[in-house]
Amino acid sequence: MPGTLTDIINYVIQTALGVVGLDYARVPEMLRIGAAMLIACGAMLGYVAVVALFFGWAERRVAGRIQARQGPNIVGPFGLLQLIADAIKILVKEDIIPQTAHRFLFRLAPILVFMGAFAPFVVLPFSETLVVSNLSLGVYYALSFAALEVVGVIMAGWASNNKWSLYGGMRLAAQMMSYEIPMGLAVLTVAVLSGHLNLRTIVLDQQGYWIFSWNVFRGFPWAFLAMFVFYLAGLAGSKRTPFDLPEAESEIVAGYHTEYSGMRFVIFYLSEYATMYVVSALTAVLFLGGWHGPIPHVLAWDGQVHWEAGPVLSALIGMVNMIGKSFFLMFVMLWFRWTYPRVRVDQIVYLCMKVLVPLGIICLMGASAWALVW
Amino acid sequence: MSNQVSAFIGYWKTAWRAVVSSTLGLGVTLKHLFSRPVTVEYPKALPEVPEGWRGWHAYESDRCTMCRLCEQVCPVQCIRLEVEGKGRERKLVRYEINYGLCLFCNLCAEVCPTACLWMTADWDLACYRRTDCTIRFHETDPNEQRQRLWPGMKELPARAPKKPREAAPAEKAQTP
């Protein structure tokens, strides 16, 4: 059975070339790896775009229903085609660069931000086989790319040559940097519990007794608390309400993307949803059992749960589980947005430094003690 | 020392209160998420207007005595009446109400001695041109004019029943 998505793509290419009559082994290895990587990343890019579009619609729809309105419901069934209409509208919009902006950095910033948001998709496992890259330091990889986003946002804020943009960029930088501490502590809790940093192995480790082998319940109460720490820190890191100070409309217009319009603005938007998805998917992988479903596919009589579906079926079921969990956690983010008002700057610092960091340290110490005992 | 202890207890109390109130807030929004939207999708569904809504006028020329009271009482002079002939031979030539001016104050309907003019629950009065604001009650049925202004418009819900103003209190007395 192939190991990762790249292997699967390689296998498909090999078979296709075999049909045509070409020998795949004679293709240079760099070309083979490059082609597989390109296809895998293209698939991921498409997935990100679809997720962002879908949640652009879902956000408005959920917002509408929570406020007893309808939300978009005219274009297409349930207003689903609204997002395509919006995409077309945005694509034909004029792209404006302010005269006093730093043109090069202004153009570079959204690309960096999107890179930071998109890179973690490479290590997200959708099922046992569907991983683009099976990195042994997957969690570190995913977390470290958040730094790129910070750089991009500061760049956007500075290059716009606008006070509000600069304030927004600085606010976001401070927020993301400080919230990476509790995030890292929560991840360490899981790393101590499972002994791996490879996302795929972490999920494989959570196989077993229904939901009780998921990290949330296996490492109770430490991992349970760590999940909330991770999720809240991720929420702050993806600058969502109630932590959307960098985009506080009432104070600084739109924060770091005040001056952006058209396609470049969309890239910021896309990367926000991509970050949301990454945080949700990481929460699902680290704490909620990744691709393992709450109901086991096959339950043998020795009390153990066995995955005895074929490779294709198990990959499909795993994908459905994984995407379902991620989407649910993303929905919770939307739900948060329309429930909580924006917090103040001092409250953000309080939550990070006085609540989440101590809690994270307690979780880490508790999990370490558990790891020592067992 | 006791100060630090109380601060410590206060910290946990605050944390607990935050958790409880956040959960309650989530519950409220979740309840609303699954409740029915209050939006009325206007062209598809017509809103229900409350009783006593003062909308478009209804006018019954048969009972009109052409006393011009409505014209005189109107605070914005939006009613225009033209009469030909004298005495019993009077004939109504023109009865117009300019809705661009009308306040919907109901004074005209209140002074009407024969209750031939009253206000209906007909609320859909938008038009494209300023000249369309003036409705000629002597010429056509106002509902027909409305259809002309809004082709393809769905029929409005049943209009207010044509009844003289005096009949209303009597009916009220019967119902209980």
Side-chain angles (χ1 to χ4, degrees):
Chain A
M1 204 162 79
T4 61
L5 189 59
T6 322
D7 294 334
I8 296 175
I9 292 166
N10 260 327
Y11 179 74
V12 171
I13 293 176
Q14 190 177 356
T15 323
L17 287 183
V19 169
V20 181
L22 287 169
D23 189 7
Y24 192 51
R26 279 165 61 192
V27 179
E29 198 183 354
M30 286 304 286
L31 205 64
R32 270 188 287 174
I33 295 173
M37 272 164 62
L38 220 60
I39 291 172
C41 289
M44 279 295 130
L45 201 62
Y47 181 66
V48 173
V50 168
V51 164
L53 276 176
F54 176 74
F55 273 91
W57 167 81
E59 172 122 50
R60 292 159 65 182
R61 190 86 183 161
V62 168
R65 294 306 298 270
I66 282 179
Q67 297 169 349
R69 297 183 284 114
Q70 289 279 6
N73 65 342
I74 302 293
V75 192
F78 303 107
L80 264 170
L81 297 180
Q82 180 70 46
L83 38 97
I84 294 171
D86 286 352
I88 292 169
K89 182 204 84 170
I90 281 162
L91 278 173
V92 297
K93 268 201 166 183
E94 189 188 356
D95 176 38
I96 300 167
I97 300 179
Q99 233 170 15
T100 50
H102 192 297
R103 293 182 74 85
F104 175 68
L105 293 185
F106 189 84
R107 285 180 184 159
L108 182 65
I111 300 170
L112 277 187
V113 171
F114 184 69
M115 267 170 69
F118 175 64
F121 274 82
V122 170
V123 288
L124 289 182
F126 285 87
S127 85
E128 201 176 336
T129 48
L130 294 176
V131 199
V132 175
S133 180
N134 191 13
L135 286 183
S136 55
L137 285 174
V139 188
Y140 267 0
Y141 174 86
L143 287 188
S144 59
F145 264 97
L148 199 61
E149 218 178 323
V150 180
V151 172
V153 166
I154 295 180
M155 200 179 273
W158 186 81
S160 299
N161 202 0
N162 176 328
K163 282 173 221 157
W164 293 312
S165 301
L166 190 58
Y167 275 131
M170 274 153 57
R171 277 186 184 188
L172 180 79
Q175 185 177 317
M176 282 180 82
M177 296 296 225
S178 51
Y179 272 88
E180 262 163 40
I181 303 166
M183 210 168 178
L185 286 170
V187 167
L188 271 181
T189 309
V190 174
V192 165
L193 276 175
S194 69
H196 303 286
L197 288 173
N198 181 340
L199 287 174
R200 185 165 163 261
T201 327
I202 286 175
V203 181
L204 277 176
D205 232 41
Q206 300 177 48
Q207 191 169 350
Y209 300 94
W210 299 32
I211 61 170
F212 300 109
S213 63
W214 294 359
N215 273 339
V216 209
F217 298 107
R218 203 173 54 164
F220 201 85
W222 315 118
F224 186 76
L225 288 173
M227 180 177 76
F228 290 103
V229 172
F230 183 86
Y231 192 70
L232 282 181
L235 205 62
S238 56
K239 50 204 176 290
R240 289 288 298 182
T241 327
F243 309 107
D244 65 342
L245 283 158
E247 301 166 20
E249 309 95 311
S250 49
E251 299 159 24
I252 49 172
V253 190
Y256 58 92
H257 52 53
T258 303
E259 297 289 352
Y260 283 86
S261 59
M263 205 51 218
R264 281 179 231 284
F265 175 72
V266 175
I267 295 175
F268 278 119
Y269 223 71
L270 200 68
S271 55
E272 184 185 328
Y273 283 106
T275 319
M276 279 165 70
Y277 185 84
V278 166
V279 169
S280 307
L282 277 180
T283 313
V285 164
L286 293 174
F287 299 99
L288 296 176
W291 62 74
H292 299 305
I295 300 156
H297 184 59
V298 176
L299 181 65
W301 283 112
D302 56 352
Q304 284 275 341
V305 177
H306 300 284
W307 278 94
E308 280 174 6
V312 175
L313 185 65
S314 73
L316 271 179
I317 294 173
M319 211 162 80
V320 167
N321 280 330
M322 182 64 202
I323 291 175
K325 282 171 194 174
S326 312
F327 273 33
F328 173 74
L329 289 170
M330 272 186 89
F331 161 74
V332 173
M333 283 188 182
L334 306 188
W335 185 10
F336 276 16
R337 174 163 180 187
W338 302 105
T339 304
Y340 300 136
R342 183 183 304 130
V343 297
R344 291 195 308 264
V345 177
D346 64 312
Q347 288 168 334
I348 274 204
V349 178
Y350 180 93
L351 184 67
C352 177
M353 289 300 160
K354 284 187 140 179
V355 181
L356 293 187
V357 169
L359 204 62
I361 292 174
I362 291 171
C363 290
L364 180 57
M365 283 163 64
S368 312
W370 279 41
L372 268 182
V373 172
W374 289 329
Chain B
M1 190 63 200
S2 67
N3 220 357
Q4 282 176 1
V5 170
S6 65
F8 183 75
I9 294 170
Y11 172 85
W12 284 106
K13 270 187 181 168
T14 314
W16 178 246
R17 223 172 38 229
V19 170
V20 169
S21 62
S22 312
T23 320
L24 285 178
L26 283 179
V28 169
T29 42
L30 190 70
K31 204 178 76 198
H32 281 283
L33 180 63
F34 292 109
S35 66
R36 188 181 290 275
V38 294
T39 316
V40 178
E41 289 178 75
Y42 160 55
K44 278 191 230 158
L46 296 169
E48 281 177 28
V49 291
E51 211 174 313
W53 178 273
R54 300 204 294 264
W56 212 327
H57 292 88
Y59 173 67
E60 220 173 304
S61 59
D62 296 350
R63 282 195 290 163
C64 184
T65 56
M66 289 150 265
C67 64
R68 288 177 183 270
L69 268 178
C70 48
E71 193 185 23
Q72 283 160 23
V73 80
C74 181
V76 290
Q77 284 98 45
C78 68
I79 301 178
R80 205 171 146 216
L81 221 83
E82 268 179 36
V83 182
E84 258 178 19
K86 291 217 164 177
R88 286 189 174 275
E89 304 302 312
R90 276 181 303 177
K91 217 178 126 197
L92 191 74
V93 186
R94 183 181 288 272
Y95 192 99
E96 283 178 4
I97 296 181
N98 184 351
Y99 284 96
L101 295 172
C102 183
L103 292 172
F104 300 96
C105 64
N106 202 30
L107 282 178
C108 49
E110 259 175 54
V111 296
C112 186
T114 57
C116 69
L117 183 73
W118 68 97
M119 301 193 91
T120 62
D122 205 343
W123 45 267
D124 197 344
L125 313 174
C127 58
Y128 284 110
R129 281 172 299 171
R130 198 172 283 190
T131 49
D132 288 342
C133 289
T134 306
I135 303 299
R136 294 171 198 83
F137 284 92
H138 59 282
E139 258 176 22
T140 43
D141 180 26
N143 217 14
E144 265 173 39
Q145 291 193 38
R146 199 175 141 276
Q147 285 293 330
R148 180 171 56 80
L149 294 174
W150 293 90
M153 188 71 198
K154 277 178 191 167
E155 279 294 318
L156 277 174
R159 294 159 64 88
K162 283 189 181 183
K163 63 188 173 194
R165 194 157 43 96
E166 286 81 4
E171 200 182 49
K172 240 179 207 171
Q174 281 173 7
T175 36

PDB file of all heavy atoms in Angstrom, chain B residues 71-84:
ATOM      1  N   GLU B  71     -60.772  67.711   0.404  1.00  0.00           N
ATOM      2  CA  GLU B  71     -59.825  68.603  -0.248  1.00  0.00           C
ATOM      3  C   GLU B  71     -59.418  69.737   0.686  1.00  0.00           C
ATOM      4  O   GLU B  71     -58.257  70.154   0.728  1.00  0.00           O
ATOM      5  CB  GLU B  71     -60.464  69.161  -1.513  1.00  0.00           C
ATOM      6  CG  GLU B  71     -59.490  69.851  -2.430  1.00  0.00           C
ATOM      7  CD  GLU B  71     -60.192  70.490  -3.604  1.00  0.00           C
ATOM      8  OE1 GLU B  71     -61.405  70.766  -3.491  1.00  0.00           O
ATOM      9  OE2 GLU B  71     -59.539  70.707  -4.635  1.00  0.00           O
ATOM     10  N   GLN B  72     -60.412  70.234   1.444  1.00  0.00           N
ATOM     11  CA  GLN B  72     -60.134  71.384   2.297  1.00  0.00           C
ATOM     12  C   GLN B  72     -59.367  70.992   3.556  1.00  0.00           C
ATOM     13  O   GLN B  72     -58.534  71.759   4.045  1.00  0.00           O
ATOM     14  CB  GLN B  72     -61.432  72.071   2.679  1.00  0.00           C
ATOM     15  CG  GLN B  72     -61.985  72.921   1.555  1.00  0.00           C
ATOM     16  CD  GLN B  72     -63.435  73.189   1.727  1.00  0.00           C
ATOM     17  OE1 GLN B  72     -63.965  73.120   2.835  1.00  0.00           O
ATOM     18  NE2 GLN B  72     -64.111  73.475   0.630  1.00  0.00           N
ATOM     19  N   VAL B  73     -59.654  69.808   4.065  1.00  0.00           N
ATOM     20  CA  VAL B  73     -59.027  69.442   5.330  1.00  0.00           C
ATOM     21  C   VAL B  73     -57.592  68.960   5.134  1.00  0.00           C
ATOM     22  O   VAL B  73     -56.805  68.957   6.056  1.00  0.00           O
ATOM     23  CB  VAL B  73     -59.875  68.373   6.059  1.00  0.00           C
ATOM     24  CG1 VAL B  73     -59.616  67.001   5.480  1.00  0.00           C
ATOM     25  CG2 VAL B  73     -59.592  68.378   7.541  1.00  0.00           C
ATOM     26  N   CYS B  74     -57.267  68.597   3.904  1.00  0.00           N
ATOM     27  CA  CYS B  74     -55.942  68.001   3.677  1.00  0.00           C
ATOM     28  C   CYS B  74     -54.839  69.009   4.030  1.00  0.00           C
ATOM     29  O   CYS B  74     -54.792  70.107   3.470  1.00  0.00           O
ATOM     30  CB  CYS B  74     -55.814  67.581   2.212  1.00  0.00           C
ATOM     31  SG  CYS B  74     -54.223  66.818   1.895  1.00  0.00           S
ATOM     32  N   PRO B  75     -53.934  68.663   4.947  1.00  0.00           N
ATOM     33  CA  PRO B  75     -52.893  69.613   5.365  1.00  0.00           C
ATOM     34  C   PRO B  75     -51.847  69.882   4.295  1.00  0.00           C
ATOM     35  O   PRO B  75     -51.150  70.888   4.370  1.00  0.00           O
ATOM     36  CB  PRO B  75     -52.260  68.929   6.582  1.00  0.00           C
ATOM     37  CG  PRO B  75     -52.600  67.503   6.444  1.00  0.00           C
ATOM     38  CD  PRO B  75     -53.875  67.412   5.695  1.00  0.00           C
ATOM     39  N   VAL B  76     -51.714  69.005   3.298  1.00  0.00           N
ATOM     40  CA  VAL B  76     -50.688  69.205   2.272  1.00  0.00           C
ATOM     41  C   VAL B  76     -51.302  69.446   0.905  1.00  0.00           C
ATOM     42  O   VAL B  76     -50.590  69.521  -0.092  1.00  0.00           O
ATOM     43  CB  VAL B  76     -49.723  68.006   2.211  1.00  0.00           C
ATOM     44  CG1 VAL B  76     -48.859  67.978   3.444  1.00  0.00           C
ATOM     45  CG2 VAL B  76     -50.469  66.719   2.034  1.00  0.00           C
ATOM     46  N   GLN B  77     -52.595  69.589   0.838  1.00  0.00           N
ATOM     47  CA  GLN B  77     -53.303  69.834  -0.426  1.00  0.00           C
ATOM     48  C   GLN B  77     -52.931  68.823  -1.506  1.00  0.00           C
ATOM     49  O   GLN B  77     -52.533  69.173  -2.603  1.00  0.00           O
ATOM     50  CB  GLN B  77     -53.011  71.248  -0.937  1.00  0.00           C
ATOM     51  CG  GLN B  77     -53.749  72.337  -0.218  1.00  0.00           C
ATOM     52  CD  GLN B  77     -52.871  72.956   0.839  1.00  0.00           C
ATOM     53  OE1 GLN B  77     -51.727  73.241   0.587  1.00  0.00           O
ATOM     54  NE2 GLN B  77     -53.415  73.149   2.030  1.00  0.00           N
ATOM     55  N   CYS B  78     -53.025  67.577  -1.157  1.00  0.00           N
ATOM     56  CA  CYS B  78     -52.658  66.575  -2.146  1.00  0.00           C
ATOM     57  C   CYS B  78     -53.878  66.043  -2.876  1.00  0.00           C
ATOM     58  O   CYS B  78     -53.765  65.316  -3.856  1.00  0.00           O
ATOM     59  CB  CYS B  78     -51.892  65.438  -1.502  1.00  0.00           C
ATOM     60  SG  CYS B  78     -52.853  64.433  -0.399  1.00  0.00           S
ATOM     61  N   ILE B  79     -55.063  66.394  -2.403  1.00  0.00           N
ATOM     62  CA  ILE B  79     -56.294  65.925  -3.055  1.00  0.00           C
ATOM     63  C   ILE B  79     -56.795  67.024  -3.991  1.00  0.00           C
ATOM     64  O   ILE B  79     -56.844  68.199  -3.618  1.00  0.00           O
ATOM     65  CB  ILE B  79     -57.369  65.580  -2.012  1.00  0.00           C
ATOM     66  CG1 ILE B  79     -56.850  64.486  -1.065  1.00  0.00           C
ATOM     67  CG2 ILE B  79     -58.644  65.125  -2.696  1.00  0.00           C
ATOM     68  CD1 ILE B  79     -57.822  64.112   0.010  1.00  0.00           C
ATOM     69  N   ARG B  80     -57.144  66.633  -5.199  1.00  0.00           N
ATOM     70  CA  ARG B  80     -57.636  67.595  -6.167  1.00  0.00           C
ATOM     71  C   ARG B  80     -58.987  67.126  -6.675  1.00  0.00           C
ATOM     72  O   ARG B  80     -59.133  65.984  -7.107  1.00  0.00           O
ATOM     73  CB  ARG B  80     -56.658  67.717  -7.317  1.00  0.00           C
ATOM     74  CG  ARG B  80     -56.766  69.046  -8.009  1.00  0.00           C
ATOM     75  CD  ARG B  80     -55.630  69.204  -8.982  1.00  0.00           C
ATOM     76  NE  ARG B  80     -56.110  69.948 -10.119  1.00  0.00           N
ATOM     77  CZ  ARG B  80     -55.719  69.733 -11.363  1.00  0.00           C
ATOM     78  NH1 ARG B  80     -54.868  68.770 -11.627  1.00  0.00           N
ATOM     79  NH2 ARG B  80     -56.197  70.473 -12.340  1.00  0.00           N
ATOM     80  N   LEU B  81     -59.957  68.010  -6.585  1.00  0.00           N
ATOM     81  CA  LEU B  81     -61.319  67.651  -6.960  1.00  0.00           C
ATOM     82  C   LEU B  81     -61.807  68.652  -8.004  1.00  0.00           C
ATOM     83  O   LEU B  81     -61.617  69.854  -7.851  1.00  0.00           O
ATOM     84  CB  LEU B  81     -62.221  67.770  -5.721  1.00  0.00           C
ATOM     85  CG  LEU B  81     -63.252  66.692  -5.523  1.00  0.00           C
ATOM     86  CD1 LEU B  81     -62.579  65.528  -4.845  1.00  0.00           C
ATOM     87  CD2 LEU B  81     -64.347  67.216  -4.621  1.00  0.00           C
ATOM     88  N   GLU B  82     -62.424  68.151  -9.076  1.00  0.00           N
ATOM     89  CA  GLU B  82     -63.035  69.059 -10.052  1.00  0.00           C
ATOM     90  C   GLU B  82     -64.469  68.637 -10.281  1.00  0.00           C
ATOM     91  O   GLU B  82     -64.735  67.455 -10.522  1.00  0.00           O
ATOM     92  CB  GLU B  82     -62.249  69.041 -11.367  1.00  0.00           C
ATOM     93  CG  GLU B  82     -61.193  70.115 -11.414  1.00  0.00           C
ATOM     94  CD  GLU B  82     -60.426  70.060 -12.711  1.00  0.00           C
ATOM     95  OE1 GLU B  82     -61.051  69.745 -13.744  1.00  0.00           O
ATOM     96  OE2 GLU B  82     -59.203  70.300 -12.676  1.00  0.00           O
ATOM     97  N   VAL B  83     -65.371  69.577 -10.174  1.00  0.00           N
ATOM     98  CA  VAL B  83     -66.793  69.272 -10.286  1.00  0.00           C
ATOM     99  C   VAL B  83     -67.395  70.138 -11.392  1.00  0.00           C
ATOM    100  O   VAL B  83     -67.048  71.303 -11.530  1.00  0.00           O
ATOM    101  CB  VAL B  83     -67.501  69.550  -8.942  1.00  0.00           C
ATOM    102  CG1 VAL B  83     -68.970  69.186  -9.040  1.00  0.00           C
ATOM    103  CG2 VAL B  83     -66.830  68.783  -7.834  1.00  0.00           C
ATOM    104  N   GLU B  84     -68.295  69.547 -12.160  1.00  0.00           N
ATOM    105  CA  GLU B  84     -69.009  70.284 -13.210  1.00  0.00           C
ATOM    106  C   GLU B  84     -70.481  70.357 -12.834  1.00  0.00           C
ATOM    107  O   GLU B  84     -71.014  69.409 -12.245  1.00  0.00           O
ATOM    108  CB  GLU B  84     -68.863  69.573 -14.551  1.00  0.00           C
ATOM    109  CG  GLU B  84     -67.846  70.219 -15.455  1.00  0.00           C
ATOM    110  CD  GLU B  84     -67.718  69.450 -16.748  1.00  0.00           C
ATOM    111  OE1 GLU B  84     -68.642  68.680 -17.069  1.00  0.00           O
ATOM    112  OE2 GLU B  84     -66.685  69.623 -17.416  1.00  0.00           O
TER     113      GLU B  84
END
